[in-house]
């Protein structure tokens, strides 16, 4: 996230900057400073199955975003949690070649983003 002239914190995909494959199950629990956690997730391109989930805090019952390879994004995803915590989970199955991706995050006193989908409208895939 670009804030006050600098990127604050970055998480990268496994093996970044190279493609990765095979079965991976990753979970990133982010605790940011200040009142709100904010994330920017670059586009994810995969040949086979993958799932990306972003949760408000560390509670899996509060999804902010869910996606799979059958509905890929073509833009950088930007989300703000309602607290200083946000959780990002990633799973890919089978033989896969996945392009590297980055997750930028920060904590701010007010949310940086208006979330694109109301939490109640997020569908489980």
């Amino acid at each position: 996230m670009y804030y006050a002239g600098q990127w604050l914190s970055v998480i990268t995909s496994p093996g970044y900057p190279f493609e990765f494959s095979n079965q991976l199950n990753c979970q990133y629990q982010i605790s940011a400073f200040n009142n709100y956690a904010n994330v920017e997730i670059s586009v994810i391109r995969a040949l086979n199955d993958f799932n990306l989930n972003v949760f408000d805090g560390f509670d899996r019952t509060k999804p902010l975003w869910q996606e799979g390879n059958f509905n890929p994004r073509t833009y950088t995803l930007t989300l703000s949690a309602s607290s200083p915590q946000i959780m990002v989970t990633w799973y890919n199955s089978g033989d896969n070649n996945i392009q590297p991706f980055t997750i930028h995050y920060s904590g701010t006193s007010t949310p940086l983003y208006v979330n694109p989908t109301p939490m109640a409208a997020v569908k489980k895939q």
Side-chain angles (χ1 to χ4, degrees):
M1 200 153 305
Y2 201 71
Y3 181 75
Q6 63 182 332
W7 289 104
L8 294 181
S9 298
V10 179
I11 296 171
T12 60
S13 57
Y16 188 89
F18 303 104
E19 289 183 356
F20 60 98
S21 61
N22 300 321
Q23 296 181 356
L24 292 175
N25 188 355
C26 299
Q27 177 175 297
Y28 306 103
Q29 291 185 330
I30 299 167
S31 292
F33 60 92
N34 276 332
N35 299 327
Y36 299 92
N38 308 285
V39 294
E40 291 181 357
I41 303 173
S42 63
V43 173
I44 299 172
R45 292 185 176 88
L47 296 177
N48 293 314
D49 293 336
F50 79 88
N51 288 296
L52 170 74
N53 299 290
V54 182
F55 299 96
D56 192 354
F58 299 155
D59 184 349
R60 289 179 180 263
T61 65
K62 297 180 180 178
L64 289 173
W65 185 263
Q66 295 178 321
E67 77 177 71
N69 62 328
F70 58 88
N71 62 342
R73 263 181 306 113
T74 57
Y75 56 90
T76 298
L77 178 63
T78 56
L79 297 167
S80 292
S82 64
S83 72
Q85 288 84 33
I86 199 164
M87 182 168 59
V88 178
T89 64
W90 162 268
Y91 174 76
N92 73 309
S93 61
D95 292 330
N96 220 344
N97 288 320
I98 301 169
Q99 298 294 316
F101 64 91
T102 58
I103 301 170
H104 295 256
Y105 68 93
S106 71
T108 54
S109 58
T110 59
L112 290 181
Y113 307 111
V114 175
N115 293 334
T117 304
M119 287 172 36
V122 174
K123 297 179 185 175
K124 289 194 175 192
Q125 301 175 10

